[in-house]
Amino acid sequence: MAEEERQWRGVTGGSVFGQKAMKILFSIVDVRVGYALLAFIIPFYMLFGRKGYLAIYRYFRVRHGYSAMKAFCGVYRNHFLFGQMLIDRFAVYAGRKNFKVYNPDNDLFLRMVHARHGCIIASSHVGNPELCGYLLSQKTKRINSLIFGGEAREVQKNRSAVLAGNNVRLIPVSEDMSHIFLINDALTNGEMVSMPCDRAFGSNKTVECDFLNGKADFPAGAFVLALQFNVPVIAMFVLKITASRYHIHVTSVPVPTEGDKRRKINEMTRSFAEILEGIVKKYPEQWFNFYNFWKNENVSCS
């Protein structure tokens, strides 16, 4: 599998006009109307978004061992849930606050919020991680969220406007690496930093991990920073349960007590991959990496 085929380059689709229209639409109508329309739109995405379709189909066939028909249904359900979560985001941009959250691990999150030291939140492209900033609103400690710098301007504007009121600052990944200085300042000041830990964004600091019966490279940057600043790492996942309800799962990423720095970084990265694997096995249809994630993924799954 060519390396470029395992790189993610996606952004939120649609024109600026379409994104503004969605925001206006869901300020007026219930999200369920959008969900109903998705049922007819998704087949076109599956038909014309062939690379994403094949990547997810292979994910169900190879990684979960689904039959061809079950994998096809899984792809449809996966795309449908992804569309629902995009709609949920635009509904939040429009000012809707009707989403409920079940967070049995809130005590761990609150301990990190009230601690004097900083903290790294290891996120992933499973579920709807952006809603953390809306559902876990708090004024005690700022959360600095590292995001893809090439995202559509309208989406970034909406995110910033809504999240700023929830004590969340967005830090786009920039080519001049200036985002590194912002992250360092945040951790020095005892703030929280949220980083995606399943996409490398072109970084060469990766660790090969066993993941869903295959090998995949996971970025190690978050764990390098954790050891450098001596701060804990918590993994956080926001999973959609019903039309209006989300389940937030938070767990600590253990820090090895023995070994040199490199070994500790490798073990923390693999611990996160193991935690992520458990979540993906429980919510397989909420995996939203629409590219060939695994190394040497050339298995036929016809």
Side-chain angles (χ1 to χ4, degrees):
M1 180 63 63
E3 181 63 25
E4 60 268 21
E5 292 181 3
R6 293 195 297 110
Q7 297 296 320
W8 175 84
R9 300 183 178 85
V11 296
T12 303
S15 64
V16 172
F17 173 79
Q19 292 165 3
K20 287 182 177 179
M22 284 185 66
K23 180 180 174 181
I24 295 172
L25 175 65
F26 294 114
S27 68
I28 302 171
V29 304
D30 190 272
V31 293
R32 290 178 176 83
V33 175
Y35 294 173
L37 293 174
L38 278 176
F40 302 98
I41 296 173
I42 292 303
F44 292 95
Y45 274 91
M46 293 172 62
L47 180 63
F48 295 107
R50 187 164 179 78
K51 284 187 177 180
Y53 165 83
L54 289 176
I56 295 298
Y57 179 78
R58 184 160 39 238
Y59 156 77
F60 282 118
R61 286 282 278 149
V62 177
R63 302 303 157 195
H64 292 284
Y66 286 8
S67 66
M69 180 56 68
K70 187 176 181 180
F72 176 82
C73 294
V75 173
Y76 180 89
R77 176 66 175 162
N78 169 269
H79 282 56
F80 189 60
L81 281 168
F82 184 68
Q84 287 184 338
M85 293 183 200
L86 284 177
I87 287 173
D88 292 350
R89 282 167 49 189
F90 278 96
V92 171
Y93 296 158
R96 288 188 174 269
K97 299 180 179 180
N98 57 330
F99 294 107
K100 299 176 182 178
V101 58
Y102 171 60
N103 185 8
D105 307 309
N106 196 45
D107 287 347
L108 174 57
F109 175 73
L110 290 178
R111 285 202 303 273
M112 297 297 106
V113 167
H114 294 292
R116 291 187 177 183
H117 55 70
C119 173
I120 292 177
I121 301 173
S123 65
S124 68
H125 295 81
V126 173
N128 204 351
E130 187 173 328
L131 259 67
C132 277
Y134 313 123
L135 300 175
L136 297 180
S137 178
Q138 51 81 32
K139 303 297 182 182
T140 304
K141 181 177 289 190
R142 181 163 68 174
I143 300 176
N144 300 269
S145 181
L146 190 68
I147 62 171
F148 176 58
E151 181 59 277
R153 185 179 300 274
E154 181 66 19
V155 172
Q156 289 202 35
K157 184 179 75 173
N158 285 321
R159 282 175 171 172
S160 298
V162 174
L163 291 173
N166 287 359
N167 207 17
V168 177
R169 177 178 66 167
L170 300 180
I171 301 179
V173 174
S174 56
E175 292 185 359
D176 62 6
M177 304 301 287
S178 59
H179 58 280
I180 296 296
F181 298 103
L182 295 175
I183 292 171
N184 290 349
D185 288 345
L187 292 173
T188 299
N189 295 331
E191 298 177 359
M192 305 177 89
V193 174
S194 174
M195 301 176 64
C197 292
D198 62 339
R199 289 180 185 167
F201 288 113
S203 172
N204 58 2
K205 294 180 180 179
T206 60
V207 176
E208 184 179 273
C209 301
D210 293 321
F211 187 67
L212 291 179
N213 302 313
K215 300 288 186 181
D217 288 332
F218 280 77
F223 311 107
V224 172
L225 287 170
L227 293 179
Q228 178 182 342
F229 287 92
N230 192 28
V231 297
V233 181
I234 57 174
M236 183 176 291
F237 308 92
V238 183
L239 294 315
K240 189 172 179 65
I241 305 302
T242 66
S244 61
R245 189 176 183 183
Y246 280 86
H247 180 174
I248 298 181
H249 178 77
V250 186
T251 188
S252 294
V253 177
V255 181
T257 57
E258 299 180 354
D260 59 15
K261 184 177 180 180
R262 175 181 289 275
R263 181 177 177 181
K264 289 181 179 180
I265 290 169
N266 290 351
E267 289 191 17
M268 291 179 73
T269 306
R270 291 181 178 124
S271 291
F272 172 78
E274 185 177 350
I275 293 169
L276 177 62
E277 182 179 63
I279 293 293
V280 173
K281 285 181 177 179
K282 189 173 182 180
Y283 301 94
E285 294 168 342
Q286 296 194 39
W287 170 263
F288 300 127
N289 281 305
F290 296 101
Y291 64 101
N292 294 316
F293 187 83
W294 285 263
K295 301 174 76 171
N296 302 317
E297 179 133 77
N298 55 5
V299 180
S300 174
C301 54
S302 57

